[in-house]
Amino acid sequence: MARPSKHDGSIYPRNDGKVLWMVYRDRNGKRVRESTYTDDWQEAQRKLRERLQSRDDRILEVVRKGEKLQFSDWVDFFLENYSRPPIRAEKTHAANQRSAKHLKAAFGQRPVADISADDIEHYLRRRLQARVQVKTVAGVIQKGLLKPTTVHQELRVLRRMLNVAVRKRLLPANPCWGVEFPVKVNGLFRPHYMSWSEQQRIEFQAPLYLRNIIRVITESGLRVYKELLSMKKEQVDLENAMVWIPDSKTPNGIAEVPLTELALEAFRDQIRLAGPGTWLFPSDENPTGHQKSLRTVWHAVLRRAKVPYFRLYDLRSTYATRLSAGGVADEWVTQLLRQGDAKVFKKYSQMKLQMKREALQKLNRKANEGQPGFATERPN
């Protein structure tokens, strides 16, 4: 059967005349009648054009499925199947739940396919004007405006949810891709590259166990909370210079990780420092038996070292950047990071630009001037 024309289709009113309908042919030439759910002629024409474009792009069935799926139902499905441990860390799941609460209140019973980039940007602007609400015994207290980073986190969670919907072929595309965040958020998606001089200043101010953590992460790329702080001594093989990671953020993270001499020495020092017991970083204050957070000590050490704040996680980014700067191919850096998707490495490779800028600062504009064999004056 001949492929139907791209432009076949029309808009017509039903007997009641209140809602316009559209009729068009699918890729098999079968006539399809659907309501446009509007009495506005221009809006009905727009929906017909979208139907024809979806048909020509072979995603018509995807669009139809997405139109029937309610956003609140999809949020519940995402939280249950793509957010809970062990798929994601407990902290990540808790953050997803907080964002989902506000997203469901905004988009609620709307079909997933009806959410546009404009709708999302309108939601973000409204959230940026909202105030923090704290529940107390006396009632709800309103404080200052929400931080842009908090609102941006909600956008990131929404983007993750809709990315899964795209992979499940329930959406033809993620509307978040066309969203521009209304305000500037400093530091987002720009990992900090810790220079060697910064590392020396930080280590000088850090307690011994934190110094070991810094050296291990910058020399091996281990994830600080999921992999390192919860590590048992039996996972460290000093003789073969490697550690075994049995549980990680992603399946690809479960692997044997080779160690450099500097990382190996840091592990030896930490084993001595930890004393008897199972954990490499023991803690009597935590029910798990090991340390769970380094936020307070990390802030204090950076302040004493007079280094502007950056995330402890950026030590892993520093590891990736140093590998890349040392000439290691990006494919191997991805393997050493134990990432499942090579695209994840892009955010680490962005730091090469900072290293290039540091190199440009060393440019000598007067190199070789005045030395024999080189002209020191412009020729006539």
Side-chain angles (χ1 to χ4, degrees), residues 44-309:
Q45 288 286 351
R46 183 188 66 81
K47 291 190 176 184
L48 174 60
R49 289 194 298 271
E50 290 178 351
R51 274 291 191 268
L52 297 177
Q53 185 63 50
S54 298
R55 178 201 65 188
D56 296 335
D57 291 341
R58 300 178 183 270
I59 57 173
L60 183 57
E61 291 304 315
V62 176
V63 172
R64 285 175 173 169
K65 288 180 181 179
E67 288 178 344
K68 297 177 182 178
L69 180 64
Q70 301 294 323
F71 179 78
S72 58
D73 294 336
W74 179 249
V75 171
D76 294 338
F77 177 83
F78 173 86
L79 291 176
E80 182 64 30
N81 297 279
Y82 292 92
S83 177
R84 292 185 180 278
I87 298 175
R88 288 290 183 265
E90 186 63 42
K91 291 173 62 177
T92 302
H93 178 59
N96 289 344
Q97 286 181 310
R98 288 193 297 270
S99 297
K101 177 182 177 182
H102 299 289
L103 293 169
K104 289 176 72 172
F107 300 111
Q109 300 303 313
R110 293 183 59 178
V112 174
D114 279 0
I115 301 174
S116 67
D118 290 339
D119 295 331
I120 298 171
E121 289 186 358
H122 176 73
Y123 165 79
L124 296 175
R125 292 189 184 94
R126 182 166 52 82
R127 288 289 290 158
L128 288 167
Q129 296 173 357
R131 293 186 175 275
V132 178
Q133 294 185 349
V134 180
K135 292 183 178 179
T136 66
V137 178
V140 177
I141 300 176
Q142 288 195 347
K143 294 190 174 183
L145 294 174
L146 288 173
K147 293 181 180 180
T149 50
T150 301
V151 181
H152 195 277
Q153 172 66 13
E154 295 174 11
L155 172 61
R156 293 170 62 187
V157 173
L158 177 61
R159 184 166 56 228
R160 292 189 202 116
M161 292 176 176
L162 298 184
N163 275 340
V164 175
V166 172
R167 292 201 303 269
K168 290 289 185 180
R169 300 188 65 82
L170 297 172
L171 278 180
N174 190 336
C176 292
W177 298 341
V179 172
E180 182 176 353
F181 198 69
V183 299
K184 181 180 179 181
V185 183
N186 294 328
L188 279 179
F189 304 113
R190 294 189 181 276
H192 174 76
Y193 164 69
M194 181 180 65
S195 65
W196 181 247
S197 61
E198 281 182 332
Q199 181 171 342
Q200 290 178 315
R201 287 157 56 192
I202 294 170
E203 287 185 5
F204 182 77
Q205 298 293 339
L208 291 179
Y209 75 92
L210 183 58
R211 184 196 64 182
N212 292 332
I213 288 173
I214 293 171
R215 292 185 177 182
V216 166
I217 299 176
T218 55
E219 294 288 315
S220 65
L222 293 180
R223 295 177 172 92
V224 58
Y225 294 113
K226 184 68 174 178
E227 297 173 351
L228 185 55
L229 288 189
S230 60
M231 184 175 291
K232 297 180 179 179
K233 293 177 183 177
E234 63 187 26
Q235 295 174 232
V236 184
D237 186 348
L238 296 176
E239 183 177 352
N240 295 306
M242 55 152 285
V243 293
W244 165 246
I245 306 299
D247 184 25
S248 185
K249 182 179 179 181
T250 64
N252 289 299
I254 301 174
E256 294 179 340
V257 178
L259 301 176
T260 65
E261 283 297 328
L262 192 59
L264 194 61
E265 183 58 35
F267 270 116
R268 287 197 186 100
D269 187 60
Q270 185 57 37
I271 290 175
R272 290 193 297 266
L273 192 63
T278 302
W279 304 104
L280 193 62
F281 297 93
S283 173
D284 296 332
E285 300 176 358
N286 199 290
T288 61
H290 61 81
Q291 293 194 42
K292 294 283 288 185
S293 176
L294 299 170
R295 180 174 300 179
T296 301
V297 66
W298 181 245
H299 274 268
V301 167
L302 290 182
R303 185 169 58 252
R304 290 196 299 267
K306 297 182 179 180
V307 173
Y309 175 79

Side-chain angles (χ1 to χ4, degrees), residues 1-12:
M1 182 176 292
R3 185 172 181 271
S5 169
K6 289 185 178 181
H7 303 290
D8 56 349
S10 60
I11 300 296
Y12 66 95

